[in-house]
Amino acid sequence: MFFQKEIETMSRKEIENLQLERIKHIVAYAYDNVPFYKEKFDKIGLKPSHIKTFRDYENVPFTTKDDFRSNYPYSLFAVPMDDIVRIHASSGTTGKPVVVGYTRKDLDIWSDVVARFIVSSGGRKSDIVQNAFGYGLFTGALGLHMGWEKVGATVVPISSGNTERQIMLMKDLKVTALIATPSYGLYMGETMLNMGLKPSDLSLRLGFFGAEASTKETHEQLRKIFGIKTNDNYGLTEVMGPGVAGECYLNDGMHIAEDHFYAEILNKETFKSMGENEYGELVITTLTKEGLPVLRYRTKDITRISKKPCACSRTMARMDKIIGRTDDMLIIRGVNVFPSQIEAVLMDMEEVGNSFEIIVDRVGYMDTLEVRIEISDEKLLLDYGLLEKLRDRIRKKFKEVLQIDVKVKLVEPMSLQRFEGKARRVKDLRNK
Ligand code: DLL
């Protein structure tokens, strides 16, 4: 089933024609209405009329998070505040948040693109949906909320936290679909089991787990705990929020809403355009946003894109799971390590529980990497021999995948910190 079949199944040629037409429009719109863009273009002698092809578009300067910060809060908006009906902001760990604004039409398109991936992965009008994203300035909760309402489902806006109560309501309200970050999803699953409940005590059939990186192995784990189908979906505050891309029921890449977003993959160092299926940094342009048009936003997220039509018959290009962020990558003794590689190793092992922590430090001039890992069954702690064997197996696997020695520390189930939103699993103590 489709939400907007005609759009979702356009031919490649039609998609590209539409994108080029919209690129020309949004460039002129940004130039005419946002002084920041006019100045950037004028500085390099670029005029909107120079952009006639996708190649020409590569001459447009990038937009970065710093540009949002230096134009805080409203200077990137392209319409008077009178026409802005909603503000969101990204959490950001330091400094001022990124502030974004939406017109009524922006909200309408936003809910359409979210509704698209919901329907494409099996969400229906008949669903009762528990939204365990934190409501507030975060785009996740209201974004998914509007999308599900557009589908016509029943939304339970519970927000995050108070996990036992979440499980109780999930059971009592006969909730069929859950929205959460993957890490909170795992925590909810553990809580359900600790409360003595099994998946068959619930009515849950679908889980929408986005907003942070998750490996296939983590989704497999989520499917197993709850006995459900899962969906991964991607987006970011700067360009809208959730709805930029989302998996269909085949879980084989996230379909990008290409009629509203133009996605490029660029080499992380040279910024040259990469070919199909090659990994690089994702750069996004909003094609239809009125309130806050964004040209060539450097997401720092690393992925690859395939334009091969999907077996679900949607034609919109698919982006692979995010394997990391350029600013997430740890450099340990000169070797690049992504937390997602560590997650993939661990989530594939039966004896390993749902949580781990990565601690990077420096002893003298030497970087050290320690991974603290919860075991799944505390009985294992009673058998030192078995524990040693497990530790060895994990160490070997890390060496194989990461090419470096990792200190492995096994800890009791439920002893590491849990997260109700996006997890923060890495502690880098090197510059403290
Ligand atoms: O996390 C928007 C969102 C909300 C997407 C709910 C999906 C569902 P921000 O808080 O601005 O926006 O964070 C954006 O989160 O650049 C990625 O690094 C990461 N991210 C978001 N979704 C995924 C995903 C929202 N599915 C940043 N896989 C992005 C991997 C993701 N990383």
Side-chain angles (χ1 to χ4, degrees):
M1 210 171 128
F2 294 85
F3 182 70
Q4 290 171 318
K5 186 166 184 188
E6 270 164 43
I7 299 170
E8 292 173 75
T9 57
M10 282 197 294
S11 73
R12 200 68 237 156
K13 190 92 204 107
E14 283 171 327
I15 295 172
E16 280 168 11
N17 287 345
L18 181 67
Q19 285 191 316
L20 191 55
E21 184 193 307
R22 289 186 169 173
I23 282 177
K24 290 182 201 161
H25 164 79
I26 203 76
V27 166
Y29 178 76
Y31 184 87
D32 291 341
N33 295 288
V34 186
F36 163 81
Y37 283 111
K38 182 170 186 323
E39 271 163 37
K40 268 201 161 178
F41 275 56
D42 288 351
K43 210 157 134 195
I44 55 168
L46 190 67
K47 292 260 171 287
S49 58
H50 295 157
I51 315 273
K52 297 194 172 71
T53 63
F54 288 111
R55 260 286 137 81
D56 299 335
Y57 188 60
E58 289 173 17
N59 296 322
V60 169
F62 298 116
T63 306
T64 64
K65 203 186 249 325
D66 281 344
D67 293 326
F68 275 85
R69 296 228 162 97
S70 42
N71 286 283
Y72 174 84
Y74 296 143
S75 301
L76 292 180
F77 289 13
V79 298
M81 285 308 283
D82 257 16
D83 295 329
I84 296 288
V85 298
R86 175 93 65 77
I87 294 287
H88 277 286
S90 78
S91 44
T93 42
T94 51
K96 301 273 191 197
V98 164
V99 172
V100 294
Y102 307 76
T103 64
R104 194 162 293 284
K105 186 171 160 222
D106 291 337
L107 290 188
D108 201 36
I109 289 175
W110 186 11
S111 46
D112 280 346
V113 290
V114 172
R116 266 189 217 170
F117 77 70
I118 289 173
V119 172
S120 78
S121 55
R124 297 290 177 264
K125 193 175 174 312
S126 50
D127 279 305
I128 301 176
V129 192
Q130 183 152 334
N131 193 349
F133 273 154
Y135 276 73
L137 289 174
F138 175 48
T139 55
L142 279 165
L144 268 290
H145 183 119
M146 292 187 305
W148 274 103
E149 277 191 352
K150 208 149 203 184
V151 171
T154 312
V155 182
V156 183
I158 189 163
S159 198
S160 59
N162 208 339
T163 311
E164 290 202 356
R165 187 163 167 270
Q166 297 254 2
I167 304 296
M168 177 191 82
L169 283 176
M170 204 187 293
K171 177 169 178 279
D172 295 348
L173 301 181
K174 301 194 172 21
V175 164
T176 58
L178 171 65
I179 303 164
T181 57
S183 43
Y184 194 39
L186 286 173
Y187 180 24
M188 290 174 106
E190 292 167 343
T191 308
M192 169 192 80
L193 297 173
N194 287 339
M195 288 167 73
L197 295 172
K198 333 178 265 311
S200 57
D201 295 320
L202 306 178
S203 312
L204 206 61
R205 63 181 198 94
L206 296 172
F208 290 78
F209 300 112
E212 69 179 357
S214 56
T215 56
K216 284 202 162 76
E217 290 77 8
T218 295
H219 273 248
E220 195 46 50
Q221 179 80 347
L222 284 160
R223 283 180 205 129
K224 229 168 52 196
I225 293 190
F226 287 113
I228 54 174
K229 276 191 67 65
T230 67
N231 159 284
D232 186 4
N233 63 89
Y234 170 87
L236 63 167
T237 313
E238 290 83 349
V239 305
M240 176 172 272
V244 173
E247 285 181 340
C248 65
Y249 64 98
L250 295 169
N251 299 108
D252 191 17
M254 298 183 272
H255 289 279
I256 302 169
E258 286 186 285
D259 49 334
H260 298 295
F261 302 99
Y262 176 62
E264 299 168 81
I265 297 287
L266 303 185
N267 179 293
K268 307 199 291 278
E269 275 103 41
T270 63
F271 302 121
K272 290 266 168 299
S273 186
M274 306 289 281
E276 219 182 310
N277 295 316
E278 288 178 334
Y279 282 103
E281 180 177 342
L282 176 67
V283 170
I284 301 179
T285 297
T286 64
L287 296 176
T288 51
K289 279 242 312 280
E290 290 179 338
L292 178 51
V294 180
L295 307 183
R296 305 195 83 203
Y297 184 72
R298 282 191 51 197
T299 66
K300 300 202 172 176
D301 292 317
I302 301 165
T303 183
R304 57 181 178 173
I305 291 180
S306 160
K307 295 184 178 158
K308 211 169 98 199
C310 181
C312 73
S313 74
R314 283 174 185 78
T315 48
M316 299 267 160
R318 280 169 289 160
M319 58 183 256
D320 208 341
K321 278 185 170 293
I322 305 287
I323 57 167
R325 289 177 53 80
T326 53
D327 51 6
D328 242 19
M329 191 179 75
L330 300 164
I331 304 181
I332 312 287
R333 303 192 285 273
V335 177
N336 299 346
V337 173
F338 283 112
S340 64
Q341 293 174 294
I342 292 175
E343 181 180 328
V345 167
L346 297 178
M347 288 300 152
D348 215 15
M349 300 178 95
E350 276 289 307
E351 301 90 332
V352 166
N354 294 329
S355 207
F356 62 93
E357 257 173 26
I358 300 170
I359 293 130
V360 186
D361 208 347
R362 184 167 286 152
V363 178
Y365 290 106
M366 185 81 155
D367 296 327
T368 58
L369 177 62
E370 173 180 328
V371 186
R372 294 186 187 152
I373 304 159
E374 278 183 10
I375 49 171
S376 56
D377 185 349
E378 61 191 350
K379 284 198 214 93
L380 208 64
L381 290 171
L382 302 174
D383 190 331
Y384 190 73
L386 270 183
L387 213 56
E388 243 336 270
K389 268 196 197 134
L390 176 61
R391 206 189 337 251
D392 258 3
R393 238 174 71 218
I394 299 177
R395 234 184 338 236
K396 277 204 189 103
K397 192 85 199 172
F398 278 148
K399 177 94 190 186
E400 210 177 289
V401 175
L402 309 174
Q403 314 291 328
I404 53 169
D405 285 316
V406 175
K407 183 169 171 211
V408 170
K409 185 167 177 196
L410 299 175
V411 300
E412 278 175 52
M414 298 302 285
S415 61
L416 298 177
Q417 191 182 354
R418 292 293 185 275
F419 299 93
E420 294 169 354
K422 301 189 192 219
R424 291 178 307 281
R425 299 199 193 281
V426 182
K427 292 200 174 94
D428 196 337
L429 309 173
R430 283 179 295 189
N431 298 316
K432 293 266 156 68

